[in-house]
């Protein structure tokens, strides 16, 4: 049976769907990474050419950061889709997005996320307090910088689009759809979840949030295994990022009122 909600699944969180994950190899993973790194390296060069070698203002830099991240994520989505199309058969199946019961997948994912979220928050709070006691100042992520430093509606709108829609799609297709699936062919579920979750956390360049982001990445991989589809993990990713961005925007407004 391919049902994602068999009666017995209510008593065991480790009962997974019988649907196999999309087959991705380490060779395909390596080619996707190399092509993405090449494009990522060319984007700053294109920016420098457009600027004519002159330093840009901070506002222009913020716009370029947003646009370049959007372009890179769109490239990753199209690249993975092209590889999936080359596999033959259903592209949706190769992408990991095929599901017979999308609503059930999303419900399972949301329940799992709500169960884990308090622990993520507690862990992050403990780490933040520890870094404060040690006098450490972690680097600011580009998205955080854009949210708090920018007031232009167009730039903020592109940032929200990037963080809440395009980014989650690109990251789910790569980290769960390709990376996790490739590792899973060689390793156990727990090992694959840990490795893909760690890689997911590293790409966010946030030392303070490393463990919470890694746990979130592990949860998303678990949901992919549990439901046999990326629909649930993608929904959770969108909800999670939307909550964080909305909270940051609300905090920004309160800070502006307090000035």
């Amino acid at each position: 049976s391919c049902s994602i909600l068999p009666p017995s699944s209510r008593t065991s969180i480790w009962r997974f769907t019988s649907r196999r994950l999309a087959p991705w190899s380490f060779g395909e993973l390596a080619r996707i990474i190399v092509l993405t790194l090449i494009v990522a390296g060319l984007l700053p060069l294109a920016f420098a050419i457009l600027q004519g070698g002159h330093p840009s203002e901070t506002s222009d830099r913020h716009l370029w950061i947003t646009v370049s991240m959007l372009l890179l994520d769109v490239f990753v989505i199209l690249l993975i889709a092209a590889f999936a199309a080359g596999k033959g058969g259903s592209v949706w199946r190769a992408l990991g997005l095929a599901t017979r019961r999308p609503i059930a997948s999303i419900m399972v994912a949301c329940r799992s996320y709500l169960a884990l979220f308090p622990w993520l928050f507690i862990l992050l709070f403990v780490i933040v307090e520890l870094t404060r006691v040690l006098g450490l100042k972690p680097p600011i992520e580009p998205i955080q910088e854009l949210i708090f430093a920018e007031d232009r509606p167009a730039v903020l709108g592109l940032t929200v689009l990037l963080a809440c829609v395009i980014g989650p799609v690109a990251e789910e297709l790569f980290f769960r759809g390709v990376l996790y699936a490739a590792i899973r062919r060689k390793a156990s579920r727990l090992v694959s979840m840990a490795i893909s979750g760690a890689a997911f956390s590293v790409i966010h360049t946030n030392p303070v949030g490393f463990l919470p982001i890694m746990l979130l990445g592990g949860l998303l991989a678990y949901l992919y295994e549990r439901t046999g589809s990326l629909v649930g993990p993608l929904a959770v990713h969108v909800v999670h990022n939307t909550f964080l961005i909305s909270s940051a925007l609300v905090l920004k407004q309160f800070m502006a009122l307090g000035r």
Side-chain angles (χ1 to χ4, degrees), residues 13-66:
I13 64 171
W14 296 109
R15 187 174 296 277
F16 297 94
T17 177
S18 60
R19 183 178 299 170
R20 297 179 63 184
L21 303 182
W24 289 88
S25 68
F26 280 108
E28 291 169 319
L29 172 63
R31 289 194 290 273
I32 290 171
I33 291 175
V34 168
L35 291 171
T36 301
L37 290 176
I38 290 173
V39 172
L42 290 175
L43 285 173
L45 178 61
F47 178 52
I49 293 174
L50 290 174
Q51 292 297 313
H54 300 291
S56 63
E57 296 180 359
T58 301
S59 59
D60 291 335
R61 186 174 68 85
H62 289 167
L63 177 60
W64 178 251
I65 289 174
T66 308

Side-chain angles (χ1 to χ4, degrees), residues 176-257:
R176 260 61 66 180
V178 178
L179 176 64
Y180 175 78
I183 299 173
R184 184 67 183 88
R185 297 178 70 181
K186 303 292 183 180
S188 67
R189 288 191 182 100
L190 286 177
V191 170
S192 301
M193 290 175 190
I195 294 175
S196 62
F200 175 64
S201 186
V202 166
I203 204 68
H204 286 81
T205 64
N206 186 343
V208 171
F210 179 83
L211 285 178
I213 296 174
M214 180 179 174
L215 287 177
L216 178 63
L219 170 68
L220 296 172
Y222 159 80
L223 292 172
Y224 186 26
E225 280 274 9
R226 185 170 176 82
T227 65
S229 171
L230 288 176
V231 170
L234 179 57
V236 165
H237 202 152
V238 169
V239 169
H240 179 78
N241 283 17
T242 301
F243 171 75
L244 294 182
I245 294 298
S246 299
S247 299
L249 290 172
V250 170
L251 177 60
K252 178 181 178 179
Q253 291 300 316
F254 276 112
M255 291 171 61
L257 291 174

